[in-house]
Structures are given as structure tokens and as C-alpha cells.
Amino acid sequence: MTDTDDDEGLPDIPVVCSECDTRTKVPFSDVEDAVARHNEQLHDGEAVAEVDPAVMDQIADFVAEDLGLLE
């Protein structure tokens, strides 16, 4: 199975960089590498680019709900 097969059915993840004023969507399996590469190449490794915070909040809500933490 390839990474593409792993991502089948998963949405692309929005990645933002406030310093560059950029926003892009990255396949789920590439998010960690894409963010690290951007930060290394453009920001001397400083954690500037990140997954869109609004998306991270939604993911945290889904996880909490799945774990029954909101009940």
C-alpha cells in the first residue's frame, strides 16, 4: 500500500504560515514532513508554519467526542 492509498478518503489538511502569509493544503500523510520542511527552509527550524489552528480545534473535538470526554 502506498501513501496515496493510505490517504484515500481523507481530506487534504490546511497548513498556514503567519510569517509568510501563506496557506496551502497538504495530503494527510505529508503534513508533518511539509510543515517541518517549510520551517527548516524558510524559518531556520523555528515552528512558524502549522496546521490551521481551527482544524486542530475540530480534530481535538472529534477525538474528545470519540473518547467520551464530552459526556
Side-chain angles (χ1 to χ4, degrees), residues 4-51:
T4 304
D5 293 336
D6 290 342
D7 287 345
E8 192 170 313
L10 294 175
D12 287 346
I13 306 298
V15 174
V16 296
C17 180
S18 58
E19 195 168 303
C20 294
D21 196 29
T22 57
R23 180 181 181 92
T24 190
K25 289 188 174 184
V26 179
F28 182 83
S29 62
D30 296 336
V31 170
E32 185 176 1
D33 289 337
V35 169
R37 185 174 49 252
H38 176 94
N39 286 330
E40 187 62 36
Q41 291 176 351
L42 299 173
H43 306 296
D44 296 325
E46 186 180 338
V48 179
E50 63 184 348
V51 172

